[in-house]
Amino acid sequence: QVDTYAMANLASVTGLIYGVQYLEYARKDNAGTRTVAPVARIGGTDYLGSDVNLGNSYAYLHEIKEVSPATAAAWTISEINDMEFGIKVTA
């Protein structure tokens, strides 16, 4: 249960990336517990962020990544431009 999307390229082709903020807007619509995690698909591999418990009302869920989960190094513009972003139901 993973859903990722391509995004528009960054407007700038030069510069430093100090971090990427994952931002989802989600809620659960059934009884019981439901958790999701943000997903960055980089080079065909999915990198999950932290699990978040969903509530009954829509809420923004955010997480900041200062380095790329694929390389553990600073983000690059080309990496972000080639990345897909989405969400995974984890429980």
Side-chain angles (χ1 to χ4, degrees):
Q1 295 180 345
V2 177
D3 203 9
T4 62
Y5 303 90
M7 299 175 293
N9 287 346
L10 297 174
S12 177
V13 294
T14 63
L16 299 174
I17 308 295
Y18 293 103
V20 171
Q21 178 172 284
Y22 299 168
L23 183 64
E24 308 90 32
Y25 189 63
R27 71 175 175 98
K28 68 183 183 92
D29 60 2
N30 57 1
T33 302
R34 179 69 68 185
T35 60
V36 295
V39 177
R41 182 169 289 160
I42 303 168
T45 301
D46 289 347
Y47 297 92
L48 297 180
S50 301
D51 282 349
V52 177
N53 291 317
L54 295 179
N56 294 321
S57 300
Y58 279 102
Y60 285 102
L61 315 168
H62 59 89
E63 182 175 345
I64 296 174
K65 295 285 188 182
E66 294 179 353
V67 296
S68 165
T71 63
W75 290 95
T76 65
I77 291 172
S78 62
E79 182 177 40
I80 292 171
N81 287 344
D82 293 338
M83 176 176 81
E84 291 184 14
F85 179 76
I87 196 163
K88 177 179 181 172
V89 176
T90 55

